[in-house]
């Protein structure tokens, strides 16, 4: 079985401050981890992924995420938030040879000017 | 380059009616997926396909059927719609499961 949890429904940050959106996972096997962003009335857009290699992965729009195997976490980060980063963020996980990617419930990020 | 196109964008059905949602991709992707998105529940996989002529069940397949007769198209059918199928439906495609998915813009379905 595989699952992913996003413990915060809502994250609020001020523009220019660093942001973190949290994700923890549970899998039996090596995880493949993904972050997606959804803007209003749009489909999800791929941000970044961790398959193997460096624990710190960089993605689109200045976002990065750190894979922590001991804490089973994959938190999304950005050093300086923009108002335009306000959106719904989804973490997702799958394991090798499994086509069933599981998504978290989503975290709504609001960046205030 | 259109990416993933879903039709229709909105639909209202009466209980018991049937309909087909169409997903088309122009990226020559082998893998295609249908998800439903409900508030507070994230996305749940309905059915998926690993190539032309193949389909498989996902997490929540009951009440839905799919077909992949052509590589570029993935159809989702509701034979007898129920209010519990009111949701936003997303189609996605990928080159392989290790790649990020490309999503369509969604179909908002209301069953009354």
């Amino acid at each position: 079985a595989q699952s992913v949890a996003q413990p915060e429904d809502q994250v609020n940050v001020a523009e220019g401050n660093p942001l973190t959106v949290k994700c923890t996972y549970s899998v039996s096997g090596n995880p493949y981890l993904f972050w997606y962003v959804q803007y209003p009335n749009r489909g999800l857009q791929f941000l970044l992924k961790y398959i193997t290699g460096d624990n710190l992965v960089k993605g689109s729009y200045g976002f990065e995420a750190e894979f922590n195997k001991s804490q089973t976490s994959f938190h999304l980060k950005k050093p300086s938030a923009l108002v335009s980063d306000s959106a719904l963020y989804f973490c997702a996980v799958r394991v090798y040879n499994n086509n069933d990617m599981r998504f978290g419930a989503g975290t709504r990020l609001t960046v205030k000017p | 380059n259109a990416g993933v196109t879903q039709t229709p964008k909105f639909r209202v059905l009466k209980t018991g009616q049937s309909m087909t949602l169409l997903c088309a991709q122009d990226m020559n992707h082998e893998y295609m997926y249908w998800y439903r998105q409900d508030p507070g529940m994230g996305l749940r996989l309905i059915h998926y396909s690993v190539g032309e002529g193949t389909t498989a069940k996902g997490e929540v397949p009951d009440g839905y059927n799919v077909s992949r007769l052509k590589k570029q198209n993935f159809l989702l059918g509701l034979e007898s719609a129920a209010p519990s199928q009111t949701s936003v439906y997303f189609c996605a495609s990928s080159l392989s499961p290790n790649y990020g998915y490309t999503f369509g813009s969604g179909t908002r379905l209301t069953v009354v």
Side-chain angles (χ1 to χ4, degrees):
Chain A
Q2 56 197 43
S3 64
V4 62
Q6 295 181 241
E8 301 160 317
D9 293 334
Q10 175 91 30
V11 171
N12 298 314
V13 298
E15 188 175 30
N17 283 0
L19 69 87
T20 298
V21 183
K22 296 180 180 178
C23 172
T24 60
Y25 65 89
S26 174
V27 299
S28 50
N30 291 324
Y32 295 176
L33 294 153
F34 301 80
W35 275 103
Y36 290 84
V37 60
Q38 185 180 31
Y39 298 102
N41 300 313
R42 303 284 296 277
L44 280 69
Q45 297 178 28
F46 168 71
L47 277 179
L48 51 80
K49 66 179 180 180
Y50 171 82
I51 302 296
T52 187
D54 287 342
N55 290 340
L56 184 65
V57 293
K58 295 184 183 297
S60 306
Y61 312 120
F63 284 94
E64 58 188 28
E66 185 168 13
F67 171 64
N68 188 317
K69 189 172 184 177
S70 63
Q71 297 186 2
T72 62
S73 68
F74 189 57
H75 300 332
L76 181 70
K77 300 181 180 183
K78 187 174 183 181
S80 178
L82 300 172
V83 172
S84 58
D85 292 330
S86 299
L88 192 55
Y89 290 81
F90 290 95
C91 182
V93 66
R94 59 173 286 271
V95 294
Y96 178 72
N97 267 348
N98 188 332
N99 288 299
D100 188 356
M101 183 179 292
R102 295 295 174 104
F103 285 79
T107 298
R108 186 165 299 282
L109 172 68
T110 301
V111 182
K112 297 184 178 179
Chain B
N1 190 349
V4 177
T5 303
Q6 291 184 235
T7 53
K9 295 190 182 304
F10 304 93
R11 185 73 185 269
V12 178
L13 282 181
K14 294 182 178 179
T15 297
Q17 285 185 321
S18 63
M19 77 164 294
T20 300
L21 282 66
L22 173 63
C23 176
Q25 54 96 2
D26 61 1
M27 297 169 287
N28 203 34
H29 286 173
E30 290 291 339
Y31 293 75
M32 296 188 75
Y33 313 86
W34 276 107
Y35 285 88
R36 59 178 289 173
Q37 183 181 27
D38 301 294
M41 301 188 71
L43 278 76
R44 292 181 291 169
L45 182 64
I46 304 171
H47 286 281
Y48 65 94
S49 169
V50 300
E52 181 179 314
T54 74
T55 63
K57 294 180 180 180
E59 183 184 2
V60 289
D62 294 342
Y64 305 94
N65 58 74
V66 287
S67 65
R68 183 114 180 255
L69 298 180
K70 293 182 178 181
K71 186 177 183 178
Q72 63 268 34
N73 296 336
F74 195 31
L75 279 62
L76 178 71
L78 286 72
E79 293 185 344
S80 180
S84 60
Q85 294 177 304
T86 293
S87 187
V88 181
Y89 292 85
F90 286 102
C91 177
S93 70
S94 68
L95 199 57
S96 86
N98 291 350
Y99 284 75
Y101 294 176
T102 300
F103 281 84
S105 58
T107 295
R108 186 173 294 275
L109 175 66
T110 301
V111 183
V112 297

